[in-house]
Amino acid sequence: MGIAGERLRAIRRVAVICIIVSLSVTALIGIATLLGGNFGDVQGRIMLTTLVIGTFGVLALADLAVAGRRFEWCGYVGILAGSVGLVMGLYLVWSDAEPSEAFWKSFGVATVLAASLAHANLLLLLGERRRPVVRTTLWITVGLITVLAGMIIALIATDGDIGTEIYARVLGTVAILDVLGTIVVPVISRFLRDESSPSSHAGLVVALPADLSGRLGTLAAERAMPTDAFVIKILEDLAGTHR
């Protein structure tokens, strides 16, 4: 934690505020365009711009959720993919040139990657949970997200030529299991919380100042972990760095 942790949280807070402000501004512009009378080419492009910024802005918020946590690198990859998709989407909206087929495919791939990574990052908020059933179900679902993204990208890359009936059936099955896992993982993690503390640590009792205890409780709540389990993890990580 310390200064680096505080700085990271400050950066994340600023990024979230900037995204929310940009979404709010684009929403107001979209509303003003709809209520402004004549609806022509420019107004249509403004509405599409609002849609593009809103979509990738929401994905970025999901990616920022894992900032400062164990799998924050996945959030950064998601933000990178979303940024590429955003720039390409705005180009498609405002360029008068006819995009090439390769450009359309690249935009489709970037969008699939951005959406899949945002989906995975929301689930990875539970990546520090210790219950075996929670961890197993989580990683199965993340694997399904990866497989589904790969199958969709394969369809884009081959212009749908790979999309046989069997392929479509497998794709549909993976998508259904993906949705099921997305629902089940948060539910079971809610009911199967981590044990308060391993018995090997039961002999040590430390009294913390009230302000420090409150801060640790807040950080633990942000990670959906019991406070004592969160403190144990910090101590284990600290002990590991001094081996």
Side-chain angles (χ1 to χ4, degrees):
M1 302 302 170
I3 297 176
E6 293 291 341
R7 185 175 301 171
L8 181 58
R9 284 194 294 274
I11 293 174
R12 181 173 62 179
R13 189 178 301 112
V14 170
V16 170
I17 292 174
C18 291
I19 291 173
I20 292 176
V21 170
S22 66
L23 290 175
S24 301
V25 171
T26 53
L28 290 175
I29 293 175
I31 292 173
T33 301
L34 286 174
L35 301 178
N38 295 330
F39 195 90
D41 179 67
V42 174
Q43 288 77 9
R45 295 191 182 197
I46 292 175
M47 290 301 300
L48 288 175
T49 300
T50 303
L51 176 62
V52 170
I53 294 177
T55 299
F56 287 101
V58 171
L59 296 179
L61 287 176
D63 294 323
L64 284 171
V66 295
R69 304 193 182 198
R70 181 178 178 184
F71 299 100
E72 64 179 351
W73 61 268
C74 191
Y76 299 144
V77 175
I79 291 174
L80 176 62
S83 299
V84 173
L86 173 62
V87 172
M88 297 182 75
L90 293 177
Y91 175 83
L92 288 172
V93 171
W94 290 101
S95 176
D96 293 325
E98 183 67 26
S100 64
E101 181 181 355
F103 189 92
W104 277 108
K105 288 183 177 180
S106 299
F107 174 67
V109 170
T111 302
V112 171
L113 288 176
S116 300
L117 286 165
H119 184 185
N121 284 325
L122 289 177
L123 290 177
L124 288 175
L125 289 172
L126 301 170
E128 295 175 344
R129 299 297 294 271
R130 298 185 178 184
R131 290 279 189 174
V133 64
V134 175
R135 295 179 65 86
T136 300
T137 309
L138 169 64
W139 288 113
I140 289 176
T141 305
V142 171
L144 289 169
I145 294 172
T146 304
V147 172
L148 182 61
M151 295 185 73
I152 295 175
I153 290 173
L155 284 174
I156 295 173
T158 62
D159 293 324
D161 292 340
I162 198 175
T164 62
E165 181 179 352
I166 295 177
Y167 194 93
R169 291 177 183 271
V170 174
L171 178 64
T173 301
V174 173
I176 292 172
L177 292 175
D178 182 1
V179 174
L180 178 63
T182 302
I183 296 172
V184 168
V185 171
V187 171
I188 63 175
S189 66
R190 176 70 177 178
F191 289 100
L192 298 177
R193 294 189 175 275
D194 293 336
E195 296 178 358
S196 296
S197 60
S199 57
S200 59
H201 297 275
L204 179 63
V205 177
V206 178
L208 298 176
D211 57 340
L212 178 57
S213 178
R215 290 179 61 190
L216 289 172
T218 301
L219 293 172
E222 291 177 355
R223 289 159 175 77
M225 297 176 64
T227 303
D228 46 5
F230 176 64
V231 173
I232 290 172
K233 182 180 184 303
I234 293 177
L235 294 176
E236 288 176 344
D237 293 342
L238 180 62
T241 60
H242 291 282
R243 289 177 181 173

